[in-house]
Amino acid sequence: GNLSKIMYNEVFRLPLSLPYDAFPKWYAAFDKFVSLIHCDEFEITVPMQAGTLLLMNNWRLLHGRAGGMATYDRKVVGGTI
């Protein structure tokens, strides 16, 4: 089918409601998906400087933050347009 959007969060996953016999096939596909989204081929780093503004379409882009790079005085403001 046609993919319309992906909602993915490693922290806020809910329990699955799949039948037990479908789980191995689902988990293999999920494992492949996770390996793809963490692959260097599909990842870019956007250098951020103080005062930089980054806008993205949250329904069209999977995004994350590099661990350990934030400073104590960092301010992140989120909003919806």
Side-chain angles (χ1 to χ4, degrees), residues 16-72:
L16 292 176
S17 58
L18 292 174
Y20 182 77
D21 59 333
F23 186 76
K25 188 174 180 179
W26 177 90
Y27 195 80
F30 178 73
D31 189 49
K32 177 66 173 176
F33 171 73
V34 171
S35 70
L36 287 171
I37 64 172
H38 289 286
C39 177
D40 289 343
E41 179 182 355
F42 303 113
E43 188 174 291
I44 63 168
T45 300
V46 178
M48 299 292 290
Q49 306 295 325
T52 301
L53 174 67
L54 176 64
L55 295 174
M56 65 186 98
N57 184 335
N58 223 21
W59 293 109
R60 302 282 301 165
L61 177 71
L62 292 173
H63 63 282
R65 292 152 195 85
M69 299 186 73
T71 60
Y72 72 93

